[in-house]
Amino acid sequence: MFTITYKNESFICTETISIVEAAKIQTAKIPYGCNGGGCGICKMRVVKGQYKLTDAAAKALSEEEKKNGHVFLCQTYPLSDLQLELIGKQPTF
């Protein structure tokens, strides 16, 4: 089990479930939309930690985005504790 930290909130996720799915189960305030990697609402930057992307997410992100730690949380699985940072405007909940 890994700890995912976003803003001042943390929740637990395993490597067998996407970050968005874990957040939904634990009612963590993570922005998401389609849950399929197409809308981009859950796009964030991993500031710290290791993760794996689905093939679809890896193809949808540019090399520059991947180099900068950009991910779609609905298509990302943690391999360690992660610290996340929002890209763009702050969502309202």
Side-chain angles (χ1 to χ4, degrees), residues 52-72:
K52 64 180 175 180
L53 298 173
T54 63
D55 289 341
K59 290 176 186 173
L61 294 164
S62 71
E63 290 303 315
E64 184 73 16
E65 288 173 313
K66 288 186 275 190
K67 177 182 161 190
N68 289 323
H70 295 193
V71 299
F72 296 109

Side-chain angles (χ1 to χ4, degrees), residues 3-75:
T3 301
I4 311 300
T5 304
Y6 170 63
K7 292 187 176 182
N8 295 324
E9 187 172 11
S10 295
F11 59 96
I12 302 299
C13 189
T14 67
E15 64 186 56
T16 61
I17 187 170
S18 75
I19 294 171
V20 164
E21 286 302 315
K24 286 167 46 178
I25 291 167
Q26 297 169 69
T27 64
K29 293 179 180 170
I30 293 288
Y32 67 91
C34 70
N35 206 29
C39 72
I41 292 173
C42 68
K43 189 175 182 181
M44 288 200 187
R45 185 169 83 87
V46 176
V47 177
K48 185 177 179 183
Q50 301 295 316
Y51 54 90
K52 64 180 175 180
L53 298 173
T54 63
D55 289 341
K59 290 176 186 173
L61 294 164
S62 71
E63 290 303 315
E64 184 73 16
E65 288 173 313
K66 288 186 275 190
K67 177 182 161 190
N68 289 323
H70 295 193
V71 299
F72 296 109
L73 297 181
C74 66
Q75 301 292 309

